[in-house]
Amino acid sequence: MTTQPAYTRSSAPVAGVAAQARKGGVRIMDVVKRYGTQDAGVLAVDHCTFDVPAGEITVVVGPSGCGKTTLLNAIAGFHSLTSGSIYLDNEMLCGPGRLKAEPGPDRIVVFQNGALFPWKTNIENVAFGPIMQGYMTRKDALEKARDMMADAGLRGIENNYPGEISSGVRRRVEIVRALMTDPKILLLDEPYRALDSLTKSVMHEALLEIFYKNRVTIFFITHDLEEAIFLGHRVVIMTTRPCKPKTILDIDIPHPRDYNVLTTKRFREFMDETAAAVHEEATKAFAAGEKER
Amino acid sequence: MSALSKWSFKVSSFIVGEDFWRGIVAIIVFLIFWEIGSRSEALFGFAFPWVGQVPAPSAVLKEIYRLIQEPSFWHSGYLSTRRVLEGFFAAMLVGIPLGLAMAVSRTFYGITFPVFEVLRPIPPLAWVPAAIIFWPTQELSIAFVTFLGAFFTIVINVIGGAQSIDVRYFQAARSMGSSTFDIFRRIILPGVLPSIVVGATVGIGITWAVVVAAEMISGGGSAGSMGGAAGGGLGFFIWNSYVGGSYTQIVAGMISIGAAGYMSSAILRKIGQLLTPWLAEG
Amino acid sequence: MQYQQRAGTRVKSLVFGALITFSALAANPSTDVAQAAAVKDYGKQGEPIELVIGYQPYYTESWSGVIMRDKKFYEKYLPKGSNVSFQVGLQGAIIVNGMLAGKVDIGYVGDMPGIVSTSHPDVRDIRIVSVLGLGYDQCNVFLVRTDAPTFGSSDDALKWLDGKTVAVPKGSCTDRFAQAVFKAKSLKPSEYLNQSIEVITSGFRAKKLDAAVIWEPTASRLVQEGLARRVASGASVNERDGGFMVMPQALIEQRPDVVKAWLQAELDASLFFADPKNAMEIAKMAVSQTTGFQERSLWASAFGSTPKAAGGTDVRIDLAFGFTPEALDLIKKASAFLFEIKSIPSEIRPEAVQPQFTADILKARGLTAPIGQVKAQPDSAYAGN
Amino acid sequence: MISAPRGGRGDDTARTKQFEIKSHVMSQTELSHSRGITATRGNTDGHVSTLALTFHRAALWLQSPRPYLMFIGFSLFLGFWYLAVEVWKLPRFAEMPGLTTVVSEWLSKNPTYGLSIFMEEYYLHIWVSTRRIAIAFFLATAIGVPLGLFLGWSKRFKQYVFPVFELLRPVPPLAWVPLAIVMFAGSETPVIFLTFLASFYATALNTMLGVESIDVSYIRAASCLGAKRWQVFRHVIVPGALPFIFTGLQISVGVAWFSLVAGEMVSGQYGLGYVINTSYTMVRYPTIIIGMVTLGIVGYVTSAAIRMLGNYMMQWRTRELALGEER
């Protein structure tokens, strides 16, 4: 039996998941993003507006290079906007006057080809956030990290280096690292892109399990439609570059979901409905010879 | 965008960009500091440490202006360049096949690489006395030393290049029934080309460093020259100005070698880009 | 693991094969190939000959070489159609290396390189055939920095050297002389640097050297250009120096006619050197064959005079040509010292000295060694500007 | 049979991408396999210690054909040297010192020219040369690494400093020999300056390349997790650039020896460059070869030391590459 955890984060006591106030809602309002100068630049995002409901999984689907990663970077604070604004829990992240948001532990990004620090052991990676922010001593942070990794079924690889474990396991360690700082929203940039479909299905179930336990808002980017519908409460299908929402679907398949959802009639209906739209955008993107932005 | 406009786009952004101006400012500040430093004895009465003895850039510029009109200066430049090219091409001629042979056959690699690794740490200049004894003419001994300078780098890069070729290319080629020679010509050579170019650019830089020192040591230094001033070359030119006590000529010589070394690397990089168009996707 | 076994067997056969070929070759070396390579072929007697002469315009004691090149006395004696090319060596050792590598045929060198050249018969058998000159302040001149204290006598100057930085071109006659003096007077310089005459010149100019032991004409040049001060020489410690001519045994055996012819011409050159009225002409010859030296310092190196307190001598060079007792004594003493400091692998071989050629020529011309002297002349005698 | 040879690491090849985490899929079994290695070692903290790894590799090496091939290589090389000089006496080779003379001189208690492994002076030369390399190398690292880190890290700093750096870099360090002798007092400091200069360029440049090669997502991940700028510098930039820094250090040690020899040849009292040069002017041919071989060995040892230090400092990379090698 693991000992009663000695750590409690002062600001947000870990209460029962249901009673937790819903946080992490994002409102994207009329966002435009252009790279380079006015005339010779590239328009990536063209007046994009949609909401990411708090406590839910929102999946953005679109052809490669259509500008969805630019959106994610704007929320995370890596890129500035040309115009429009983004709100997190009704607090302006970036908008007129402040075109570039400040990266912070409330919005954690899980990168496409992984960003676990190869020179730190897995547990040091997971405990990195709290130690950097200084609100936890190293010992407490490592203890909490050990417990959270155990929760996510990652016992026994604490002292290995990321280079020594499989990329699927690495991806789960990265998500645990993101959850350590108790973020409002998780920003996932095609995290399972490099995995084979077998491992991918294992990852999906692990992600849902973590989601049900922590109820953190998830903003998920992918170009795999099946993955979007299986995971998402809401699926936003983007046009080709410059991207803006083409159709927004609320997936009413009840949670918690597992693998036989894929064979239900309702899932099939959603697939038929969206496949045409996504295919149309994909051919347009292909014609324009877009390279992965 | 047509190539021309693409090129102009790149240049214009470079000119107007802050990199360019900040670079110019930095170089001007450096030159001013150098000028004041070397004139410190006259201006402040005491010589700055180190830079105090170095001749001022203004004097050096005058010297360069004078030297450019002198044919003997260009002759030295020609001699050094010829020695560099001789040593360099010999190194390519011997180094590339050896590197490829090492990369292709495990046995050959097993036999030659250990010997190669033992000889590699010996600095090329340590070979000068032995080269003077061994080679009949002084010209050959300097060329041999410059050859060594580039040889080791080129072989190492070729091996590295061949090893980094993804093994799947071999499998793919073999599955399409290509013979060993096809594989060599279709897969290994193009695969190794980029690292040959890298090895060449680094190699020519080293040959310039070596030719200067070899000329200094065999042309004038204690290893002594057979045939007095016959040594020639920029290295000998610097050595002669040192012995003659004209320090501005030394700095002028150093700058000309720097320029020559830089130009040869730049030319090689250009050739490299032409040879490997698939790498330069802009 | 299948790869390991297959390669293993292949490798073992390779190793085995290599051993066989290796031992077979080493067992019966083909002797004829061995002999021809080491000994150079100089052709039959009387045939025209190609000669490469390694000489030192930067070494006054061997200026008979400078005169030979200018006056071309050898053309009178060598077989018609012979071709002679002169190569400048900055230091005797470089000429010796050239001779050991078979690139140089006749060498004008100082005492140490001369003796060292005879000590490598395994590489190439070289012999001393003539004595260019003997002296006290030709090869062994002590110079100190201009701002050194003024010394009462040479001995005080030498004592001052203890704990100072002294530079010397290693392997030259000055190296032997400096080490002999340091041992005799138990002096211990803080740094005993190996530097060529050029590095020493720049060292004095950049005020980085306390002292140096150098040979003429560089000594006079440094004094004349005010870069250094002369404080002592061989005369101060009664240590003699000498210049020698060396030739490979192959040349002596195959072409005694050429050796005699060259030595005849050498005698003419020495006689020319000994005649005081030729002083100015010789200085001009030296200027034409060197770079960076003024005529006045070249003249002073041979014909100039220096106060006794600074090791000056009246007779600057004894042009021995033949092997005088003093010359033989110098060779014996110097080679014993060189063996002691491990500069030569063994005592000098008796056959290394070949006096009979010069003896025959002197008898034929009714002269005795030394054939002349280069005397110091007053500064006023210098006719140049 | 054509196959790209595995292993045989040309460690200081100018490969641009210094390390790539092989994002191949390792199935669950391989996870246990890597644990398998740790199990056999039985060390408590669960990861593979470098010492254990080297023994493991040495065992592998012995089983493979490589040692025998190496033996053939050396015997051919030394055999040719012996035959060419002493047995066949080929034209240009006859004057060179033979294998037996060099080896007998090197190992003799009373060497004819005063330099062999039993002579104290031999180790004095090695010590003086190594001391000069150590000083120059330390200075180059102490100045080069921070400069390289800042050049890579702050764009403004690079815009000001890098042009001057690039202005001086093409001038080969050895062209500085005469100026160094004039600029610096004594005979020791110019040699150290020359050695410093060569390795300084290599270190600074490679460190800068190291910082620039760090994947931007690491920096973003760290700032996401709340790390402030200097924390990102310490926890991401420095460790991330470490592999490049060590490549730079290895190249810089090689280049340091390169210019040390030139400095010592021009003027000096001790040091291996001095030995080689005076053995030439004093016609001690075997000692020239002894000087060169000693220089080769000492040079090899110093760069191997740097490599080992690098492997030790970068535990994560050694183990990762070891796993890669296993496959």
Side-chain angles (χ1 to χ4, degrees):
Chain A
M1 232 300 279
T2 56
T3 55
Q4 179 53 32
Y7 50 81
T8 51
R9 203 180 137 204
S10 54
S11 63
V14 178
V17 167
Q20 203 176 11
R22 287 291 170 85
K23 56 180 170 61
V26 170
R27 270 189 289 104
I28 297 168
M29 294 157 69
D30 193 24
V31 162
V32 171
K33 171 64 186 174
R34 174 185 300 282
Y35 288 106
T37 55
Q38 189 57 25
D39 43 18
V42 167
L43 183 62
V45 179
D46 176 16
H47 300 290
C48 165
T49 310
F50 66 92
D51 283 359
V52 174
E56 284 189 0
I57 301 177
T58 307
V59 185
V60 174
V61 186
S64 58
C66 80
K68 36 192 205 300
T69 310
T70 314
L71 250 184
L72 183 135
N73 285 340
I75 300 172
F78 301 145
H79 280 167
S80 60
L81 298 181
T82 311
S83 70
S85 54
I86 301 178
Y87 287 81
L88 174 64
D89 292 346
N90 306 326
E91 205 191 310
M92 194 178 86
L93 275 180
C94 51
R98 188 155 60 94
L99 287 173
K100 186 169 181 298
E102 254 318 300
D106 50 0
R107 291 150 289 129
I108 301 287
V109 175
V110 175
F111 293 87
Q112 196 165 38
N113 31 39
L116 279 183
F117 305 128
W119 47 84
K120 287 181 184 296
T121 58
N122 293 328
I123 192 155
E124 280 163 0
N125 262 292
V126 172
F128 184 79
I131 294 174
M132 281 305 115
Q133 290 154 51
Y135 63 83
M136 247 186 178
T137 65
R138 188 177 160 75
K139 194 169 73 53
D140 291 350
L142 286 174
E143 219 177 290
K144 178 181 176 189
R146 192 178 298 280
D147 293 345
M148 284 198 77
M149 284 174 83
D151 278 359
L154 296 168
R155 196 186 304 283
I157 53 154
E158 291 87 351
N159 294 322
N160 290 94
Y161 283 97
E164 294 175 283
I165 52 175
S166 76
S167 62
V169 174
R170 246 203 311 272
R171 196 45 40 80
R172 278 159 59 200
V173 171
E174 197 167 350
I175 291 173
V176 170
R177 176 175 78 175
L179 293 174
M180 260 296 274
T181 51
D182 200 6
K184 290 183 182 154
I185 180 169
L186 267 183
L187 305 168
L188 297 155
D189 183 358
E190 293 185 64
Y192 307 134
R193 179 189 168 106
L195 302 185
D196 60 279
S197 56
L198 274 182
T199 324
K200 206 179 245 189
S201 54
V202 170
M203 288 299 125
H204 288 159
E205 279 178 356
L207 180 66
L208 286 180
E209 203 183 295
I210 291 176
F211 172 73
Y212 297 141
K213 208 177 280 177
N214 296 281
R215 229 29 178 157
V216 69
T217 322
I218 290 183
F219 180 91
F220 192 103
I221 292 184
T222 180
H223 57 275
D224 174 348
L225 189 57
E226 199 183 272
E227 180 177 52
I229 297 172
F230 173 70
L231 290 174
H233 293 82
R234 160 176 297 190
V235 171
V236 179
I237 295 172
M238 288 295 197
T239 63
T240 177
R241 187 186 1 199
C243 76
K244 61 174 171 298
K246 179 168 185 170
T247 45
I248 299 180
L249 286 163
D250 282 325
I251 312 295
D252 55 13
I253 301 171
H255 276 278
R257 300 176 182 168
D258 61 23
Y259 244 76
N260 30 48
V261 156
L262 286 176
T263 51
T264 59
K265 193 169 65 52
R266 191 73 187 103
F267 187 86
R268 274 282 140 256
E269 281 155 14
F270 276 119
M271 280 297 278
D272 302 342
E273 203 178 315
T274 51
V278 171
H279 184 65
E280 184 200 339
E281 288 310 318
T283 38
K284 246 193 274 173
F286 184 75
E290 287 316 311
K291 215 152 76 54
E292 180 65 2
R293 161 57 58 192
Chain B
M1 280 195 268
S2 72
L4 191 64
S5 70
K6 192 167 177 215
W7 180 77
S8 63
F9 170 74
K10 235 185 261 166
V11 166
S12 63
S13 74
F14 178 75
I15 298 286
V16 87
E18 57 191 24
D19 291 6
F20 181 74
W21 292 114
R22 289 219 176 108
I24 295 289
V25 165
I27 290 173
I28 290 170
V29 165
F30 169 72
L31 288 177
I32 291 168
F33 171 73
W34 178 6
E35 187 74 31
I36 296 166
S38 45
R39 288 237 191 87
S40 54
E41 195 121 11
L43 298 172
F44 312 113
F46 71 95
F48 282 14
W50 303 332
V51 85
Q53 278 77 11
V54 176
S58 46
V60 171
L61 273 179
K62 275 206 255 20
E63 190 65 38
I64 290 179
Y65 182 72
R66 184 182 64 76
L67 280 176
I68 287 180
Q69 278 117 15
E70 241 179 75
S72 71
F73 175 67
W74 292 105
H75 180 59
S76 319
Y78 156 72
L79 277 175
S80 290
T81 321
R82 201 191 62 199
R83 286 188 187 126
V84 163
L85 294 180
E86 276 163 13
F88 177 69
F89 283 117
M92 296 281 273
L93 222 60
V94 175
I96 295 177
L98 183 69
L100 286 173
M102 278 179 165
V104 163
S105 119
R106 294 276 312 247
T107 339
F108 184 76
Y109 177 86
I111 293 176
T112 46
F113 194 70
V115 176
F116 179 84
E117 268 303 278
V118 164
L119 296 178
R120 187 156 62 94
I122 301 177
L125 288 161
W127 293 84
V128 166
I132 291 178
I133 299 170
F134 182 75
W135 293 99
T137 68
Q138 191 193 333
E139 208 53 43
L140 272 173
S141 16
I142 295 182
F144 174 70
V145 175
T146 41
F147 160 81
L148 282 177
F151 171 70
F152 290 111
T153 316
I154 289 169
V155 171
I156 286 287
N157 271 287
V158 166
I159 298 175
Q163 276 176 352
S164 62
I165 299 175
D166 201 321
V167 75
R168 279 174 300 198
Y169 295 154
F170 293 113
Q171 285 145 0
R174 208 170 298 121
S175 62
M176 286 180 277
S178 38
S179 70
T180 321
F181 179 69
D182 282 342
I183 288 187
F184 186 81
R185 213 163 63 78
R186 288 276 184 288
I187 309 284
I188 293 183
L189 267 186
V192 165
L193 209 50
S195 25
I196 290 180
V197 168
V198 167
T201 357
V202 171
I204 200 146
I206 297 176
T207 40
W208 267 107
V210 168
V211 86
V212 161
E215 281 166 358
M216 259 190 228
I217 289 172
S218 64
S222 38
S225 72
M226 287 313 298
L234 287 175
F236 189 72
F237 169 79
I238 294 183
W239 184 256
N240 246 345
S241 4
Y242 163 64
V243 164
S246 72
Y247 298 147
T248 43
Q249 252 184 340
I250 295 178
V251 179
M254 285 165 69
I255 292 173
S256 44
I257 291 175
Y262 186 77
M263 266 189 295
S264 26
S265 311
I267 292 166
L268 262 176
R269 254 192 302 277
K270 204 78 203 99
I271 296 171
Q273 273 151 14
L274 297 176
L275 284 177
T276 53
W278 68 87
L279 281 184
E281 69 264 36
Chain C
M1 284 318 284
Q2 186 264 352
Y3 170 78
Q4 251 48 0
Q5 277 92 15
R6 191 155 48 74
T9 44
R10 187 147 49 86
V11 157
K12 287 188 181 58
S13 52
L14 260 175
V15 170
F16 190 65
L19 279 180
I20 298 176
T21 43
F22 180 72
S23 48
L25 283 169
N28 48 38
S30 45
T31 45
D32 51 355
V33 167
Q35 279 322 325
V39 177
K40 194 168 179 182
D41 171 19
Y42 285 100
K44 306 267 173 315
Q45 296 213 24
E47 276 175 5
I49 187 161
E50 287 285 329
L51 283 178
V52 174
I53 314 301
Y55 82 116
Q56 296 186 62
Y58 298 99
Y59 176 33
T60 314
E61 207 159 29
S62 73
W63 266 2
S64 56
V66 168
I67 299 163
M68 284 285 265
R69 179 170 192 178
D70 193 278
K71 290 288 183 191
K72 299 195 186 342
F73 290 124
Y74 51 83
E75 277 166 356
K76 216 160 41 167
Y77 301 96
L78 283 177
K80 289 297 160 279
S82 297
N83 185 322
V84 174
S85 69
F86 284 80
Q87 278 191 1
V88 173
L90 288 180
Q91 189 183 343
I94 292 130
I95 297 172
V96 166
N97 278 312
M99 293 183 75
L100 288 173
K103 294 187 256 187
V104 172
D105 303 312
I106 297 175
Y108 287 73
V109 290
D111 50 50
M112 177 166 181
I115 294 166
V116 166
S117 70
T118 63
S119 63
H120 295 277
D122 49 345
V123 179
R124 200 174 291 275
D125 185 349
I126 293 177
R127 306 274 169 89
I128 303 177
V129 290
S130 157
V131 181
L132 306 175
L134 297 171
Y136 281 96
D137 69 345
Q138 269 307 321
C139 189
N140 311 330
V141 182
F142 272 93
L143 299 176
V144 293
R145 54 191 312 145
T146 42
D147 48 16
T150 50
F151 304 103
S153 72
S154 303
D155 277 350
D156 306 345
L158 292 176
K159 283 194 188 54
W160 179 76
L161 288 183
D162 205 10
K164 295 291 185 301
T165 319
V166 181
V168 77
K170 280 280 175 114
S172 64
C173 44
T174 51
D175 181 18
R176 173 189 66 77
F177 170 70
Q179 291 190 49
V181 166
F182 291 151
K183 191 183 277 291
K185 295 216 180 280
S186 61
L187 299 168
K188 186 84 182 65
S190 66
E191 278 186 315
Y192 186 57
L193 300 175
N194 164 37
Q195 295 184 344
S196 73
I197 50 175
E198 296 171 324
V199 177
I200 290 173
T201 315
S202 331
F204 273 122
R205 181 176 292 121
K207 300 216 173 356
K208 292 177 56 158
L209 271 180
D210 296 335
V213 189
I214 195 71
W215 59 80
E216 291 289 14
T218 308
S220 301
R221 173 192 181 180
L222 291 174
V223 172
Q224 303 253 331
E225 285 178 15
L227 298 172
R229 230 175 59 228
R230 175 172 154 154
V231 286
S233 78
S236 335
V237 288
N238 193 14
E239 186 74 36
R240 204 189 291 281
D241 59 54
F244 299 96
M245 182 190 295
V246 287
M247 289 186 189
Q249 177 59 10
L251 181 63
I252 297 168
E253 268 165 13
Q254 294 171 33
R255 298 298 297 272
D257 60 324
V258 165
V259 174
K260 278 202 202 65
W262 187 266
L263 286 174
Q264 289 282 7
E266 172 65 19
L267 184 52
D268 295 349
S270 294
L271 290 169
F272 185 88
F273 196 9
D275 184 347
K277 46 187 188 9
N278 298 332
M280 283 314 295
E281 195 186 343
I282 294 171
K284 284 192 176 29
M285 287 182 201
V287 169
S288 68
Q289 294 177 31
T290 57
T291 47
F293 279 74
Q294 281 87 20
E295 189 186 83
R296 166 174 278 282
S297 43
L298 289 170
W299 179 86
S301 71
F303 310 100
S305 56
T306 319
K308 291 286 177 291
T313 56
D314 300 340
V315 174
R316 294 299 304 276
I317 307 174
D318 254 327
L319 296 166
F321 182 71
F323 286 82
T324 58
E326 297 84 4
L328 293 170
D329 167 58
L330 168 64
I331 293 175
K332 194 165 66 57
K333 246 172 69 182
S335 68
F337 179 75
L338 291 176
F339 176 59
E340 189 191 310
I341 58 168
K342 285 193 180 299
S343 285
I344 48 177
S346 58
E347 279 284 355
I348 189 158
R349 301 173 289 144
E351 70 277 14
V353 177
Q354 301 273 325
Q356 77 280 4
F357 286 104
T358 46
D360 301 347
I361 292 172
L362 284 172
K363 195 142 55 19
R365 290 175 56 164
L367 293 169
T368 57
I371 53 108
Q373 289 177 334
V374 175
K375 287 197 175 46
Q377 298 175 10
D379 285 354
S380 55
Y382 177 66
N385 38 35
Chain D
M1 184 273 290
I2 299 214
S3 79
R6 294 290 303 168
R9 228 183 301 240
D11 4 79
D12 62 351
T13 49
R15 278 200 294 254
T16 42
K17 199 82 188 71
Q18 180 54 31
F19 64 91
E20 321 88 23
I21 299 175
K22 299 184 185 64
S23 63
H24 48 268
V25 175
M26 266 166 77
S27 64
Q28 193 57 20
T29 49
E30 295 197 359
L31 184 63
S32 60
H33 169 66
S34 72
R35 196 171 292 119
I37 298 183
T38 44
T40 49
R41 294 294 169 291
N43 43 27
T44 50
D45 54 13
H47 44 236
V48 181
S49 75
T50 322
L51 205 64
L53 215 55
T54 19
F55 284 132
H56 183 75
R57 257 192 226 139
L60 261 181
W61 186 70
L62 280 175
Q63 289 144 13
S64 74
R66 273 188 279 172
Y68 310 104
L69 292 177
M70 190 155 96
F71 170 73
I72 298 174
F74 279 116
S75 52
L76 282 178
F77 177 71
L78 297 177
F80 174 72
W81 177 8
Y82 169 70
L83 292 177
V85 176
E86 284 166 41
V87 175
W88 295 334
K89 286 209 180 340
L90 300 175
R92 293 295 339 143
F93 283 92
E95 292 83 31
M96 299 295 284
L99 172 70
T100 38
T101 35
V102 171
V103 170
S104 57
E105 171 77 9
W106 198 6
L107 306 176
S108 79
K109 287 258 180 320
N110 173 17
T112 45
Y113 297 118
L115 207 62
S116 78
I117 50 172
F118 298 100
M119 302 302 285
E120 190 249 346
E121 194 196 343
Y122 179 71
Y123 299 102
L124 175 66
H125 288 303
I126 295 179
W127 158 244
V128 166
S129 279
T130 327
R131 189 173 61 83
R132 285 176 184 152
I133 286 280
I135 297 172
F137 180 73
F138 173 73
L139 283 175
T141 316
I143 301 169
V145 170
L147 179 73
L149 287 173
F150 285 122
L151 276 175
W153 175 237
S154 117
K155 198 163 179 311
R156 181 186 304 277
F157 182 78
K158 179 173 180 181
Q159 281 165 343
Y160 282 118
V161 171
F162 200 60
V164 178
F165 183 85
E166 276 301 289
L167 197 67
L168 296 175
R169 197 162 62 84
V171 178
L174 297 173
W176 285 84
V177 167
L179 209 59
I181 294 180
V182 167
M183 274 163 74
F184 294 93
S187 67
E188 197 65 18
T189 30
V191 176
I192 292 184
F193 169 74
L194 286 171
T195 323
F196 159 79
L197 200 63
S199 53
F200 165 69
Y201 286 136
T203 318
L205 211 59
N206 271 284
T207 313
M208 186 182 87
L209 279 178
V211 173
E212 282 165 359
S213 75
I214 295 176
D215 191 335
V216 74
S217 42
Y218 291 130
I219 299 166
R220 286 182 172 163
S223 45
C224 254
L225 292 162
K228 286 183 259 331
R229 224 170 124 75
W230 64 271
Q231 284 173 319
V232 171
F233 188 79
R234 188 175 129 13
H235 287 285
V236 175
I237 299 299
V238 173
L242 220 50
F244 264 72
I245 292 178
F246 270 95
T247 322
L249 292 186
Q250 265 181 62
I251 296 173
S252 104
V253 123
V255 171
W257 279 105
F258 181 90
S259 28
L260 174 83
V261 168
E264 282 176 348
M265 272 186 173
V266 170
S267 99
Q269 189 177 4
Y270 295 110
L272 294 170
Y274 163 80
V275 163
I276 292 173
N277 202 31
T278 37
S279 322
Y280 174 75
T281 46
M282 299 178 64
V283 195
R284 299 168 163 171
Y285 288 174
T287 327
I288 296 179
I289 309 289
I290 293 174
M292 285 166 70
V293 171
T294 319
L295 200 57
I297 295 169
V298 176
Y300 189 81
V301 163
T302 39
S303 59
I306 306 275
R307 220 187 351 265
M308 261 184 272
L309 180 68
N311 289 344
Y312 176 71
M313 295 268 284
M314 292 184 287
Q315 284 286 347
W316 54 274
R317 223 179 119 242
T318 351
R319 297 229 293 280
E320 177 192 296
L321 295 178
L323 287 175
E325 207 178 75
E326 221 81 321
R327 218 160 319 289

